[in-house]
């Protein structure tokens, strides 16, 4: 049997999207038996110094706006229309801000190849009308194709520099036969890919870690030291896992405690991330989060506080908030004026 | 039935011993229904500015040498002979450097009360003649009494300052009825005690974390960033757990991935500890570890490198070293001149 080669399209080209494109481009060339070598990358068109960003990328092979210090492989081609980038693609990599997902999926519907499948690197959860969804499910539902998730301790700039990292792919039972493609597309000696049959767990790790990171940032602001910070992280990891097990089917507890998407990404985020940073500044300055976001994040968005709000409103609508005392305390500090000094009192 | 009150003796009075004595002293007063209020603390006698350390402690209620910034409760009494400190004690808390254990236990044999039991806070493992033991087993065997273990993300100075911490007690099946005493002796609103029936797992967490911390320190010295550090910690945690499951009976995997003794202490140690610090300096300066220990640790001992050696020699004698590639790589960097740049190549 001659197997069809996978045609890869990357839908998104921010900091993380560009970093993962460097890996995907490298690997499609390395595994020509499995992949068509050209990797289209959907780039939302912007004008940079009078020139189109797609033109700059395709001439210089650098995303000068979002990942200026890394060279993209020549076989990664910037395409300014999502449906053109995804034309006949069999393997779609979604890596764009969640607010654009639904519109982009709509435009892709008629472009993708029969039997196509997807993998999502989108962070966060979609909460509406007392219902919570991961974005892999949103994509799956919108396009009618199976969608895996990739998440891990993956600071984009470090990955792009070729520093050692691990990551985790959470896949669906229907994607078991496709895991080998995902591994081949992303695994390198410096970017090690693990896989686990748990798309919800992997996705929720990427969303809920940001809630815990806000708590870790409070500890830093309070100057409570290493013991307290590790305690908040441990308790947070348990609440993350319990939340996933309570509200999603097929979640594996070990996704949280054993994988790069789980415990490792939590560590990276609680020591290095932007949520931690703003939460620390919140305690020190008592400025509102939207002010700190503007002052400290250089245009990036603060996900932790928003996810905290989504999660607590969802839990309250289900009468389950009391089972998540750390999440609730973080919420009350962010939104209800609770003194950060009271961070551990309900734990 | 009138239950006998527990008479507590703390065997050891260094930095951590003194910190835990502040808690034990506070709790025996708080729970007078369960404990005799006086807590004897064995203090190895030293002369400080011409005065006996025990006299200073008993007059000023401060261990001026090892924990100068914390006040000991008045009911903690420094005693310069171990057998006097332990006279009629029913609950012995061992918290002294491991090299003194056997001699101290010998001197205690005739002093302790019938039905006495113990809890160990001693770090490290005892490796000799292809055999590996935790110190709780060494104490149990030496004294013929059951011995639990306490370990956690517990930087002593932070605990003594009353900053929030968690800890974990690993107990034996034969100690199930005693766990309530341990909880009451140590739990406070700022020092939260969890318990799990796994004395080996809790003890091994305290020992093996230091091996991983050496690896984390290498990453810091190499400046490989947050992804790589989290990856080393995650892989290290898995090797810690697998080692315990392979060579000890009754180990619970969740001791490693869910408790303060496991994942939380690993985090604290890999970000703040002395093993991390010396390993970072080793990469930056290439000075031998014994020199760095003398230069950086102010008289404290480096446990990580020694434990690494013990563990690898034990694994080699069992033909199992290949199953622990991170431990082996750390060993080869420390002892066999392997370039730290090769830290991740065998993983």
């Amino acid at each position: 049997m001659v197997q069809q080669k996978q045609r890869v399209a990357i839908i998104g080209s921010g900091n993380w999207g560009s970093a993962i494109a460097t890996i995907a481009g490298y690997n499609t060339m390395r595994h020509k038996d499995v992949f068509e070598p050209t990797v289209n990358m959907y780039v939302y068109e912007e004008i940079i110094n009078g020139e189109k960003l797609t033109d700059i990328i395709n001439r210089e092979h650098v995303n000068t706006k979002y990942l200026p210090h890394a060279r993209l492989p020549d076989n990664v081609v910037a395409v300014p229309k999502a449906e053109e980038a995804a034309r006949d693609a069999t393997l779609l990599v979604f890596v764009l801000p969640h607010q654009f997902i639904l519109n982009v999926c709509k435009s892709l519907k008629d472009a993708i190849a029969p039997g196509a499948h997807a993998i999502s690197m989108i962070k966060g959860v979609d909460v509406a009308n007392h219902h919570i969804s991961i974005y892999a499910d949103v994509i799956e539902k919108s396009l009618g194709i199976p969608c895996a998730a990739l998440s891990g301790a993956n600071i984009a700039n470090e990955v792009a520099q070729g520093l050692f990292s691990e990551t985790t792919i959470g896949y669906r039972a229907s994607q078991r036969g496709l895991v080998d493609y995902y591994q081949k597309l992303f695994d390198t000696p410096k970017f090690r890919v693990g896989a686990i049959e748990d798309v919800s767990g992997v996705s929720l790790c990427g969303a809920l870690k940001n809630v815990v990171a806000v708590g870790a940032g409070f500890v830093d602001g309070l100057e409570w030291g290493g013991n307290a910070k590790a305690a908040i992280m441990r308790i947070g990891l348990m609440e993350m896992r319990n939340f996933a097990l309570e509200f999603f089917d097929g979640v594996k507890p070990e996704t949280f405690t054993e994988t790069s998407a789980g415990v490792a990404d939590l560590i990276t985020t609680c020591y290095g991330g932007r949520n931690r940073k703003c939460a620390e500044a919140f305690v020190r300055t008592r400025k509102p989060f939207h002010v700190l976001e503007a002052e400290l994040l250089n245009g990036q968005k603060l996900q932790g506080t928003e996810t905290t709000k989504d999660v607590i409103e969802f839990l309250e609508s289900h009468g389950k908030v009391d089972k998540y005392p750390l999440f609730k305390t973080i919420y009350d500090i962010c939104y209800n004026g609770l003194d950060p000094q009271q961070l551990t009192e309900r734990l």
Side-chain angles (χ1 to χ4, degrees), chain A residues 253-324:
Chain A
E254 61 265 33
T255 303
F256 291 81
T257 52
E258 300 181 16
T259 75
S260 178
V263 59
D265 193 17
L266 181 72
I267 292 170
T268 307
T269 305
C270 287
Y271 277 87
R274 56 187 110 143
N275 296 290
R276 189 214 64 76
K277 186 177 177 179
C278 287
E280 178 179 9
F282 177 83
V283 172
R284 294 191 193 278
T285 67
R286 303 295 163 111
K287 291 181 186 174
F289 273 105
H290 70 270
V291 173
L292 295 167
E293 186 180 38
E295 285 182 6
L296 299 175
L297 296 189
N298 197 25
Q300 284 197 299
K301 288 286 159 201
L302 191 62
Q303 297 162 305
T305 47
E306 213 175 298
T307 305
T308 303
K309 188 163 181 284
D310 283 344
V311 165
I312 292 300
E313 286 174 2
F314 171 80
L315 284 169
E316 279 173 345
S317 75
H318 286 71
K320 292 288 180 65
V321 79
D322 291 346
K323 290 172 71 180
Y324 301 87

Side-chain angles (χ1 to χ4, degrees), chain A residues 182-193:
Chain A
Y182 305 139
Q183 294 261 13
K184 283 211 167 80
L185 184 57
F186 297 118
D187 190 78
T188 78
K190 297 287 188 187
F191 190 69
R192 306 288 179 85
V193 176

Side-chain angles (χ1 to χ4, degrees), chain A residues 68-137:
Chain A
H69 302 297
R71 194 182 193 287
L72 290 158
D74 293 357
N75 58 320
V76 173
V77 177
V79 180
K81 284 198 159 179
E83 58 271 35
E84 286 311 313
R87 178 78 58 209
D88 300 327
T90 57
L91 201 173
L92 293 147
V93 180
F94 284 92
V95 52
L96 71 175
H98 64 81
Q99 59 269 28
F100 305 128
I101 282 292
L102 281 179
N103 272 340
V104 165
C105 280
K106 248 182 235 166
S107 73
L108 297 185
K109 263 204 125 128
D110 300 322
I112 58 181
H117 49 104
I119 185 163
S120 162
M121 302 186 186
I122 297 161
K123 305 287 184 213
V125 281
D126 184 43
V127 176
N129 303 324
H130 307 214
H131 193 74
I132 188 165
S133 305
I134 58 168
Y135 284 103
D137 284 345

Side-chain angles (χ1 to χ4, degrees), chain A residues 25-76:
Chain A
Y26 166 77
N27 274 336
T28 56
M29 292 301 286
R30 210 158 63 110
H31 302 294
K32 284 183 185 162
D33 53 322
V34 173
F35 298 107
E36 298 290 346
T38 298
V39 173
N40 283 346
M41 176 170 75
Y42 163 52
V43 176
Y44 179 81
E45 194 67 282
E46 299 177 59
I47 303 300
I48 311 289
N49 298 329
E51 197 178 3
K52 288 178 177 173
L53 181 55
T54 51
D55 288 343
I56 298 172
I57 291 173
N58 288 331
R59 187 184 66 238
E60 298 183 9
H61 304 289
V62 176
N63 185 335
T64 47
K65 174 138 190 198
Y66 294 104
L67 193 69
H69 302 297
R71 194 182 193 287
L72 290 158
D74 293 357
N75 58 320
V76 173

